[in-house]
Amino acid sequence: MSSSAVTTFRASRAAWSQDLGLALIATLIALAVDAMSGFKTLHDAADNDSLLRLIEIRDLLAGQGWFDLHQYRMGVDGGFVMHWSRLVDAPIAAIILAASAFTGSIAGGEMAARILWPALMLCLSVFFLARAARRYGGDSAVLPAVIAGGGALHFLGIFSPNALDHHNIQLMLTLASLSFLLAAPQQKAAAAFSGICAALTLAIGMETAPYVAVIGLCVAGLFLFGGQGERSVARQYGLGFAGTALTVFVSTIPFADWGQARCDAFSSVQFVLAALGGTGLAVAASFDAACRTPMRRAMALAVLGAGLAAITLHWFPQCLAAPYAGLDPRLHEYWLDHISEAQSMFQLIQARDSSVLARYVTPIIAIAIMAARLRQGAWRRQDSLVGALLVASFVVSIWQVRGSTFSIALAVIALSGWIASWRERALATPTPAVSLKMIAVWLVSMNAFWTVASAMIADDPSATGAPVAGKPAMADCKADKDFSILATQPDSTVLATSNLGAPVLAYSGHRALSGPYHRNIAGNLLVLDAYMGTIAEAKTVIDRNKVGLVALCPGSPENKLLVDGAPGGFLAQLLRGAIPAWLEPVAGAQDGPLQLYRVKQG
């Protein structure tokens, strides 16, 4: 190895070490902040998805099959199949088992995993943000990326202790895919790692399909216009993407389901398109006959795109419909249309929701900065990659708030370069005016600043905890202790609104008919039938489904939806204190946030 190569290797290793060290520091600071608050999110009963993820992991550790994704304790008798991936369950379960060896109990292992898993995802996300910023804005952009990125990710809420949902690992893998792609083709195998990360985030959940598609289109576009220099990038990315899709398919999908197409989870649809798309891109980039000239590259990509489109239209046309097109209209009206992460930007503006500042300002500033670069003719490969993903995530966030989780993080990369340029100006021209401008640039680039500003406007300091939490918040029954009396009752089936479903399962041995999951159609409709029907109709649902307990959270905003829809219904009467003769209050459960009623037998 030549002396220059050795110097380059050492510099690269030093940069990796520095970026990882800064990410660790940012993570430790975030953990310290959470520790000073007593890790209050560990007792959060409002995060349905994290609680149900924990339940899935408990079931796996208790012996439920790797390929069996049934949630047997929710919905009608027999449960329903969840659309989540074991790719998230496995590493968290491993942490629980390893930690339990030190704590002496599974409960202690769970507590450790609920802290360590989000912290690990935060550390890796900040690390890949730093790596991407270094490639985008140079070495001086790393520190701004860690400071602005660490603050932004902390306030997103998806990295708080107890956040076991898959959104944090999906964001981390998306940032990793972008970071590796920015490093290619200078770093060997970087493009292959980018493809691996893109395939993994897609396999974990379909929410990231737009970003994975944009990354793939960027690779194809660079291959088309970049010519020979991007051949190895396209080949490695395609092979990494296709190979990972194959590995995930055979390792997480049971053989009996290989022929089933499911649009809301990784299945034959996603596998076929990913395998053919990745392999086709790698093949096109491997043969001179297909990539010698721009015209040939364009023809090869056109044939590949047409083939994928034809396969989709012929075999999987159902997956071109809206994600919840087949959902029962009542579930749209009384559940889906009111989920906060599914709201649009325009709905937030119309509702005068001050969180618009925290969700949209920094991405808009970042896009404006990149647009200015484009007008100045200073566009680079890095700008194409970062800009494409940033714009895509911002467009998604206009449609649904959940996209702002990605656009906020991706905006950090462009903003860190902007901050770095002003830091250099301040060093070169240390005048008060330049220094004040640099400080202003720092402030407006910090999403944490806009988060605090939105909370102050709303006059709600507690809102600073999770501006993009993405879960329907409950006005009450938010703590694990609220379900303590429920856990003392003999195991039965519980009738409760959907936001109480996951806590019922997590904090007791009971079953719950309802839960905020689109595959639990039968169970959710039964709860609507019971709570919005007459007392007699409610009794019919209760008897047919062997319900033993009725759980009521008077402070839940979900109640208002159902009561407004059925003012004379069973739920409305319960809230007014009209308790039918076949229900009896559970002793000690009427004064707390969660009220319990036992169904009399006979």
Side-chain angles (χ1 to χ4, degrees), residues 48 136 302 315 497:
N48 289 284
Y136 179 84
W315 279 291
T497 52

Side-chain angles (χ1 to χ4, degrees), residues 122 129 146-157 159 362 408-409 412 445-448 451 467-468:
L122 175 62
L129 266 179
V146 172
I147 295 174
L153 297 183
H154 175 72
F155 280 108
L156 285 177
F159 296 97
T362 53
I408 288 170
V412 169
S445 299
M446 298 283 290
N447 195 71
T451 301
V468 195

Side-chain angles (χ1 to χ4, degrees), residues 495 530-535 538 542 568-574 580 582-583:
L495 177 69
Y531 272 148
M532 301 182 73
T534 64
I535 290 180
I542 286 172
F570 175 51
L571 177 60
Q573 297 199 49
L574 281 182
W582 43 268
L583 282 183

Side-chain angles (χ1 to χ4, degrees), residues 87 194-204 212 237 240-242 244-245 248 266:
L87 293 177
S194 177
I196 290 170
C197 292
L200 286 175
T201 191
L202 180 67
I204 288 171
V212 174
Y237 179 89
F241 189 71
T244 303
V248 169
F266 194 78

Side-chain angles (χ1 to χ4, degrees), residues 523-539:
N524 290 335
L525 287 175
L526 279 175
V527 171
L528 291 183
D529 290 340
Y531 272 148
M532 301 182 73
T534 64
I535 290 180
E537 290 168 339
K539 187 64 163 63

Side-chain angles (χ1 to χ4, degrees), residues 152-169:
L153 297 183
H154 175 72
F155 280 108
L156 285 177
I158 63 173
F159 296 97
S160 300
N162 205 39
L164 303 181
D165 191 12
H166 52 267
H167 296 309
N168 49 26
I169 189 173

